[in-house]
């Protein structure tokens, strides 16, 4: 019997939306069943959310005080001890999964398939290379497959499942060499999470200052959108790094992406390729962002936002 | 203490990569090659740790064909003390690379191994974590700040939720993210000096490392292209088209 194990990403309270996207990829494998493992210190609430993901048969809840924060060196040995029951172990290719899965793979002596964007068969996958400028079709060696899932390539599995929840104790000795100190969040407030948002309003260097970014936030709030930024805007100190969209930031696939004052460097475009509709507003008619935008408007972004605020 | 830094020779980040029409890979002939940008940041950080008095020696290593010496010389010109070239013409995947780095770490006994978080060719983002696993060392990936105090490193990491700080005991593996530092420019006299710095060549067999089970690349294709859309003339027109598509109400 072939089963896939998906590692849940969560913050101790809420299941991250990336998990349901990884489940969609797992479903494409066409195996006998999909399990989700929640590694947490107190994970009942998260496990209940995971049990609702459509297509999941069983949620495995592993509770350990060491799992309060997602430290790869603690989580990896626990996943390794579960892996023998499965043919595939997948996690979302977020910073959580990227940090964790190679540690699991190496301990098990398996190579890893990073950023799966399409499943061709149980062992053949498409994945982006060269910042998405090429796609490699790769075949994993026979046996256990360890992979991360490019979340922008998959829609979240729906939320009408009813999986069983099974608490498992995993008996492994965990190292003491790593300590969590703190997490400083960029303070997105109540705005939707960038990777889960159906709409994203994004600002670039053209926005000009941290102060000016307020109008981006304001428009985003009006649309119920998440707030993104180009690397140039982050490097200039206009907005914290967790808003960065692009190859080195977040790769997103909202239904609507609105880029204000973003020129469209290759590394930024790599992060928005899968967006449904891209709108670009830029003063420079030759900006590369217009080559990928569905709707482009050559204009001053401040005037456009003012007009938009009135029109919406 | 010693710091070991791994670097990789890749197609320069400014090159627009072309997929070969026969699907056998990307065009590399006559294309400018450079040190992976994240690895350059890793070298810079190692040098800064040394300059702050926390380390005595920075050793740079690479795995690959003869031409990779060029990147080792660049690292030596930046200020690394010596280089180890693991010479091979075979393609080396992350798990094998991690085994090789572990063998080097066993031999050289560094307190820190610094690597770029990913190479911009295969974009795997695996080697540092795999080395951490194989060595049973802590890992601090995607670092944007590193502070060394005695036998611990406090590392700020760029994660999706913001900036996470962890503290790890040394020895540890650290992978460099973009904002960790800005690498220095190499000056001509340093390039001359680098030519006299020691560069040792070893083979994978010398290190007693076997190739791990490998992923096979079946074909390489160009990604589906997004079509450029239309230009609208006014905000009113933009609002109309977005409403028609049901994207705004």
């Amino acid at each position: 019997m072939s089963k896939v194990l998906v590692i849940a990403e969560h913050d101790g309270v809420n299941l991250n939306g990336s998990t349901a996207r990884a489940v969609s990829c797992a479903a494409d494998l066409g195996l006998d069943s999909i399990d989700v493992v929640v590694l947490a210190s107190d994970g009942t609430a998260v496990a209940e959310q995971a049990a609702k993901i459509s297509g999941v048969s069983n949620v495995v809840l592993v509770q350990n005080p060491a799992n309060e924060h997602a430290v790869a060196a603690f989580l990896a040995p626990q996943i390794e001890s579960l892996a023998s029951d499965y043919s595939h172990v997948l996690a979302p290719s977020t910073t959580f999964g990227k940090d964790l899965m190679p540690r699991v793979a190496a301990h098990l002596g398996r190579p890893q398939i990073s950023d799966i964007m399409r499943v061709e068969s149980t062992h053949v996958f498409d994945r982006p290379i060269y910042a998405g400028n090429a796609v490699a079709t790769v075949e994993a060696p026979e046996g256990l497959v360890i992979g991360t899932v490019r979340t922008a390539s998959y829609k979240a599995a729906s939320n009408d499942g009813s999986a069983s929840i099974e608490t498992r104790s995993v008996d492994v000795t965990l190292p003491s060499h790593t300590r969590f100190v703190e997490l400083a969040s960029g303070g997105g407030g109540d705005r939707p999470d960038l990777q889960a948002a159906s709409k994203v309003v994004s600002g670039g260097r053209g926005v000009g200052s941290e102060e000016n970014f307020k109008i981006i936030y304001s428009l985003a709030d009006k649309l119920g959108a998440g707030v993104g930024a180009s690397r140039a805007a982050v490097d200039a100190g206009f907005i914290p790094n967790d808003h960065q969209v692009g190859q080195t930031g977040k790769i997103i696939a909202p239904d609507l992406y609105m880029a204000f004052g973003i020129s469209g460097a290759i590394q930024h475009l790599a992060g928005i390729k899968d967006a449904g509709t891209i709108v670009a507003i830029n003063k420079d008619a030759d900006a590369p962002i217009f080559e990928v935008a569905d709707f482009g408007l050559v204009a001053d972004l401040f005037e456009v936002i003012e007009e938009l605020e009135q029109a919406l | 203490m010693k710091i070991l830094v791994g670097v990789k020779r890749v197609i320069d980040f400014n090159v627009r990569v072309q997929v070969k029409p026969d699907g056998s890979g990307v065009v590399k002939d006559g294309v400018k090659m450079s040190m992976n940008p994240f690895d350059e940041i890793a070298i810079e950080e190692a040098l800064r740790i040394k300059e702050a008095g926390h380390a005595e020696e920075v050793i740079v290593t690479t795995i690959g064909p003869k031409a990779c010496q060029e990147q080792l010389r660049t690292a030596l010109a930046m200020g690394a003390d010596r280089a180890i070239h693991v010479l091979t013409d075979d393609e080396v995947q992350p798990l094998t690379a991690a085994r090789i780095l572990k063998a080097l770490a066993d031999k050289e006994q560094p307190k820190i191994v610094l690597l770029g978080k990913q190479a911009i060719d295969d974009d795997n983002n695996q080697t540092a974590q795999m080395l951490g696993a194989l060595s049973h060392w802590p890992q601090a990936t995607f670092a944007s700040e590193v502070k060394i105090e005695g036998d611990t490193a406090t590392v700020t990491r760029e994660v999706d939720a913001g900036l996470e700080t962890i503290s790890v005991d040394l020895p540890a593996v650290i992978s460099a993210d973009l904002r960790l530092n800005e690498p220095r420019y190499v000056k001509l006299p340093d390039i001359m000096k680098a030519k006299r710095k020691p560069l040792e060549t070893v083979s994978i067999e010398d290190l007693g490392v076997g190739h791990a089970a490998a992923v096979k690349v079946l074909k390489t294709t160009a990604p589906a292209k997004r079509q450029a859309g239309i230009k609208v003339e006014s905000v009113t027109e933009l609002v109309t088209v977005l409403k028609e598509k049901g994207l705004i109400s």
Side-chain angles (χ1 to χ4, degrees):
Chain A
M1 194 163 121
S2 296
K3 294 199 294 180
V4 50
L5 180 66
V6 174
I7 317 297
E9 175 173 3
H10 63 88
D11 62 5
V13 180
N14 291 309
L15 186 69
N16 189 293
S18 61
T19 312
R21 291 175 186 252
V23 167
S24 289
C25 173
D28 283 355
L29 291 164
L31 301 177
D32 300 316
S33 67
I34 300 169
D35 289 358
V36 170
V37 62
V38 174
L39 299 136
S41 64
D42 175 6
T44 315
V46 175
E48 280 167 7
Q49 294 164 49
K52 293 204 180 92
I53 302 175
S54 178
V56 176
S57 326
N58 193 24
V59 174
V60 180
L61 174 59
V62 179
Q63 305 200 93
N64 186 324
N67 295 347
E68 189 174 352
H69 304 286
V71 175
F74 301 162
L75 301 184
Q78 300 174 64
I79 296 167
E80 285 149 34
S81 73
L82 298 170
S84 55
D85 293 343
Y86 296 90
S87 61
H88 293 68
V89 182
L90 300 179
S93 187
T94 53
T95 53
F96 163 78
K98 287 175 179 173
D99 184 44
L100 174 60
M101 294 308 274
R103 193 149 181 128
V104 174
H107 270 165
L108 296 170
R110 304 297 298 167
Q112 176 183 298
I113 312 289
S114 293
D115 302 314
I116 295 170
M117 56 192 283
R118 204 173 70 89
V119 173
E120 198 159 296
S121 71
T122 58
H123 283 67
V124 178
F125 308 93
D126 282 354
R127 59 174 303 266
I129 55 175
Y130 293 96
N133 287 307
V135 174
T137 303
V138 297
E139 185 178 23
E142 212 174 299
L144 177 67
V145 175
I146 308 276
T148 60
V149 177
R150 185 176 181 274
T151 52
S153 300
Y154 291 91
K155 292 233 178 302
S158 61
N159 210 22
D160 49 9
S162 55
S164 56
I165 299 175
E166 170 208 349
T167 303
R168 288 265 294 265
S169 63
V170 172
D171 188 23
V172 287
T173 312
L174 299 180
S176 59
H177 52 47
T178 304
R179 291 155 298 274
F180 172 86
V181 179
E182 61 169 2
L183 175 66
S185 100
D190 293 334
R191 288 185 190 92
D193 176 63
L194 196 48
Q195 269 156 318
S198 63
K199 297 172 198 164
V200 171
V201 177
S202 213
R205 200 201 302 270
V207 176
S209 70
E210 188 180 358
E211 178 69 21
N212 287 355
F213 246 89
K214 281 186 188 154
I215 59 167
I216 300 285
Y217 283 110
S218 157
L219 179 64
D221 288 348
K222 200 145 196 177
L223 291 166
V227 173
S230 68
R231 182 182 153 192
V234 173
D235 284 350
F238 299 168
I239 183 165
N241 73 295
D242 48 317
H243 291 275
Q244 186 179 325
V245 172
Q247 179 64 17
T248 52
K250 294 189 172 79
I251 293 175
I252 59 172
D255 297 331
L256 174 63
Y257 185 75
M258 301 185 81
F260 291 91
I262 291 177
S263 63
I266 291 177
Q267 85 89 21
H268 185 79
L269 301 183
I272 58 170
K273 270 184 188 159
D274 296 299
T277 298
I278 297 176
V279 174
I281 290 94
N282 204 302
K283 273 199 289 204
D284 175 9
D286 297 325
I289 187 94
F290 289 123
E291 288 167 28
V292 300
D294 299 281
F295 302 109
L297 178 54
V298 181
D300 179 89
L301 72 94
F302 300 101
E303 286 167 18
V304 171
I305 289 183
E306 206 180 309
E307 274 188 68
L308 273 173
E309 287 265 3
Q310 284 161 9
L312 295 171
Chain B
M1 69 174 184
K2 293 183 196 174
I3 304 176
L4 178 67
V5 187
V7 302
K8 186 177 185 186
R9 177 183 169 90
V10 297
I11 293 180
D12 187 86
F13 77 102
N14 279 314
V15 172
R16 210 171 191 142
V17 170
Q18 303 288 335
V19 175
K20 288 188 196 165
D22 66 357
S24 65
V26 302
V27 176
K28 288 183 181 166
D29 291 339
V31 167
K32 187 184 177 199
M33 304 293 284
S34 297
M35 190 192 300
N36 177 43
F38 292 107
D39 301 346
E40 221 176 321
I41 296 170
I43 289 275
E44 176 64 35
E45 194 63 20
L47 297 174
R48 290 185 189 192
I49 293 170
K50 185 188 164 190
E51 285 157 5
H54 298 300
E56 286 82 45
E57 191 179 33
V58 174
I59 307 163
V60 60
T61 186
T62 194
I63 306 163
K66 196 144 203 310
C68 300
Q69 265 203 23
E70 211 181 303
Q71 279 62 50
L72 291 177
R73 290 290 174 202
T74 302
L76 292 171
M78 285 175 75
D81 297 288
R82 64 187 166 95
I84 303 171
H85 185 176
V86 182
L87 187 66
T88 175
D89 286 328
D90 296 342
E91 187 219 341
V92 172
Q93 294 187 0
L95 185 53
T96 304
R99 287 181 179 177
I100 291 168
L101 290 169
K102 179 177 185 297
L104 289 173
D106 288 345
K107 188 165 157 242
E108 297 287 347
Q109 297 284 312
K111 281 290 181 111
I112 300 172
V113 177
L114 255 162
L115 304 172
K117 75 163 178 180
Q118 73 191 68
I120 61 165
D121 49 6
D122 290 332
D123 285 331
N124 274 311
N125 196 332
Q126 298 175 6
T127 306
Q129 297 88 314
M130 287 182 158
L131 174 61
L134 298 179
S135 307
H136 298 281
W137 286 5
Q139 69 187 42
T141 52
F142 327 142
S144 66
E145 193 184 359
V146 176
K147 282 189 226 151
I148 308 294
E149 284 154 294
D151 267 337
T152 63
T154 305
V155 179
T156 304
R157 308 177 52 234
E158 293 206 20
V159 295
D160 291 334
L163 295 172
E164 183 194 79
T165 306
I166 59 171
S167 153
V168 295
D169 296 337
L170 302 182
V173 185
I174 299 173
S175 81
D177 212 323
L178 208 60
R179 275 177 276 272
L180 182 56
N181 60 50
E182 277 190 43
R184 65 196 65 189
Y185 286 102
V186 172
K187 296 186 214 75
L188 190 63
D190 297 327
I191 296 173
M192 302 312 289
K193 245 189 275 171
K195 288 185 178 157
R196 291 190 298 271
K197 287 187 180 175
L199 192 156
E200 173 194 354
T201 300
V202 296
S203 71
I204 296 178
E205 293 70 35
D206 292 341
L207 295 168
V209 173
H211 276 274
V215 172
K216 200 161 128 196
V217 180
L218 303 178
K219 64 171 194 268
T220 305
T221 46
K225 263 220 161 91
R226 264 193 101 93
Q227 297 296 321
I230 56 161
K231 288 257 170 67
V232 293
E233 297 303 324
S234 67
V235 173
T236 317
E237 196 187 337
L238 179 63
V239 169
T240 308
V241 291
L242 292 181
K243 276 189 179 162
E244 273 168 15
K245 295 194 95 182
L247 290 165
I248 57 172
S249 49

